Amino acid sequence: MDIDHTNLSRLDLNLLVAFDALLSERSVTRAASRIGLGQSAMSHNLARLRRLFDDELMTRGADGMRPTPRALALAEPVRNALRTVQSAVLESGTFNPATADRVFRIGLADSIEVAIMPALIERLQAIAPGVSIRLRPANRTDVLEELDTGQLDLGIGVFEQGQVHHFRRQLYTDHFLCLFSPEQLGVSAPLSLGDYLNFPHILTSLADDTRGVVDEALAKRKLRRKVIMTTPGFLAVPFVVRRAPVMTTMPSRLAHYFADAFGLATSPVPIKLPRFAISLLWHGSFNRDLSHSWLRQTIASLASEDILEL
């Protein structure tokens, strides 16, 4: 397609930057802050965008501003165009970690945060002190939308879904272990299936659900466990396990760490559970982004060197 110089010359590139910020933040105030404008200036940009595209683009809802179907259709083409311009005009052909000034937004569960972030931050401070990391919790479903809308640069976790424009790189595999207090339960490892079903459990899940991979495996054998607490994160779990006659099932790396730190015990799970892979996930538009590629390689190197926590 030939470039229509006449019509394109009438387009203010800053409007597309504002559009992308509005789609990502779903708020005029936050979008304005993100690109360094006042709220009134961003409201003016939104009005210009509505005239340009002959569409409301963003409407008010109970949970904030909601994009119209037209805005959602424009989101990815506009973001890809902006990334192309950024790569061609603002970025050089090389990336120097030592002098880089970049913020990366990563979505992951806290169990993976504990495993990866200590070694990553140590490495970044040594070779790329100007690089910052912004973490946010993300489950395997929401992370796809957040990558597509530009809310995240990278996801780290167990990812079984994705579109053709989502790219994945495996870091390591893990398995599940039971974590419990021998003093509280009066049992020792290895736990029997009877022990496992006899005591109440804590379930950690980012989804609002009382069933996890353990419950699915038990259901196949027409068995059930009693879940007396669900939580979206692992932070409080070892404290509860240490003080109450309960147990939990969690990734082995985290279980070993909590066992050492809190004087608890681990045991193989007395029912067959699948191993799982922890992977990087990113939007394909970042494939040729030198700084993004460098971060992915840095994290992968830490995993291959086996110097991650736990």
Side-chain angles (χ1 to χ4, degrees), residues 83 86 91 95-97 99-105 124 128-134 152-154 286 289-295:
R83 284 172 176 160
Q86 175 177 282
E91 296 179 358
F95 173 73
N96 185 354
T99 58
D101 182 10
R102 170 86 189 252
V103 176
F104 291 99
R105 296 159 297 169
L124 293 182
V131 172
S132 301
I133 303 294
R134 300 288 182 266
L152 291 177
D153 298 309
L154 189 66
F286 281 120
D289 183 298
L290 295 178
S291 58
H292 198 280
S293 178
W294 169 82
L295 178 67

Side-chain angles (χ1 to χ4, degrees), residues 17-33:
V17 175
F19 175 80
D20 185 69
L22 285 164
L23 261 291
S24 297
E25 298 295 341
R26 310 290 172 93
S27 161
V28 170
T29 301
R30 292 195 300 271
S33 177

Side-chain angles (χ1 to χ4, degrees), residues 232-252:
F234 287 93
L235 179 61
V237 172
F239 293 94
V240 178
V241 170
R242 186 171 62 180
R243 295 193 57 170
V246 300
M247 67 174 62
T248 190
T249 304
M250 61 172 56
S252 69

Side-chain angles (χ1 to χ4, degrees), residues 193-310:
L193 182 58
D195 293 332
Y196 192 72
L197 299 177
N198 190 45
F199 295 101
H201 289 247
I202 298 173
L203 170 64
T204 303
S205 174
L206 288 172
D208 187 16
D209 194 357
T210 58
R211 287 176 60 88
V213 63
V214 170
D215 304 283
E216 294 173 359
L218 289 172
K220 292 179 181 178
R221 299 178 57 176
K222 295 182 169 45
L223 298 172
R224 294 182 62 185
R225 64 174 176 167
K226 182 179 181 181
V227 175
I228 54 97
M229 172 181 161
T230 64
T231 173
F234 287 93
L235 179 61
V237 172
F239 293 94
V240 178
V241 170
R242 186 171 62 180
R243 295 193 57 170
V246 300
M247 67 174 62
T248 190
T249 304
M250 61 172 56
S252 69
R253 292 171 176 241
L254 195 60
H256 284 308
Y257 175 78
F258 283 156
D260 292 341
F262 290 83
L264 302 171
T266 64
S267 168
V269 183
I271 188 169
K272 185 175 179 59
L273 297 177
R275 292 183 65 87
F276 54 92
I278 301 299
S279 302
L280 300 174
L281 187 72
W282 67 94
H283 194 283
S285 59
F286 281 120
N287 271 347
R288 297 184 180 181
D289 183 298
L290 295 178
S291 58
H292 198 280
S293 178
W294 169 82
L295 178 67
R296 299 195 307 266
Q297 182 57 43
T298 299
I299 296 173
S301 295
L302 292 173
S304 66
E305 293 167 18
D306 200 26
I307 62 172
L308 300 181
E309 288 294 305
L310 319 181

Side-chain angles (χ1 to χ4, degrees), residues 58-74:
M58 306 292 291
T59 60
R60 295 191 180 278
D63 55 348
M65 301 193 76
R66 298 177 179 174
T68 65
R70 171 71 166 149
L72 291 174
L74 288 165

Side-chain angles (χ1 to χ4, degrees), residues 180-189 191 195 199 245:
F180 67 99
S181 167
E183 294 181 359
Q184 289 290 342
L185 301 188
V187 296
S188 59
L191 297 175
D195 293 332
F199 295 101

